[in-house]
Amino acid sequence: MGKKKKKEKIVYYDDGSSVADMSKLDSKPKFEYKGTAPIKSLKAQSQTFFGAMKMMFVPMLVVICGLCILYMILYFLFFLLA
C-alpha cells in the first residue's frame, strides 16, 4: 500500500481589512442622473401617483376575483359536500 499524500495546508494572512472594505472600488457611481431636476409641484406628483394607481387597478381586481373564486370552490368542496 502506498503512502497518502498530505494535503497542503492553506495559510491565510490577515491584512486588517474587513470583508465590507470597498475602498479599492471606483467612487464614481455607475448610474448618473442626467435629466432635469425632479418635479416638485403637487399637481405633477398627484398625476404620477394616480397614473400608477390606474395601472395597478385592473391586476388588483384580477387577483381579488381569483382569490374569491378559489375561496368559493374550497368552501363548496369542504363544507357543502361533507
Side-chain angles (χ1 to χ4, degrees), residues 8-80:
E8 182 181 334
K9 186 176 180 181
I10 300 172
V11 179
Y12 296 99
Y13 294 101
D14 185 14
D15 62 351
S17 64
S18 64
V19 176
D21 183 19
M22 303 180 81
S23 61
K24 294 181 177 86
L25 297 176
D26 292 336
S27 61
K28 183 179 179 184
K30 291 183 181 180
F31 301 106
E32 293 183 14
Y33 182 72
K34 296 180 181 177
T36 60
I39 301 169
K40 297 179 183 175
S41 69
L42 185 62
K43 181 180 178 182
Q45 289 177 357
S46 63
Q47 286 175 348
T48 304
F49 175 76
F50 287 114
M53 293 301 290
K54 285 179 187 176
M55 288 191 324
M56 291 186 289
F57 188 71
V58 174
M60 179 190 66
L61 285 180
V62 169
V63 169
I64 290 173
C65 290
L67 289 173
C68 289
I69 291 171
L70 182 65
Y71 177 78
M72 290 187 326
I73 290 171
L74 291 175
Y75 179 83
F76 179 74
L77 287 176
F78 287 115
F79 294 111
L80 295 179

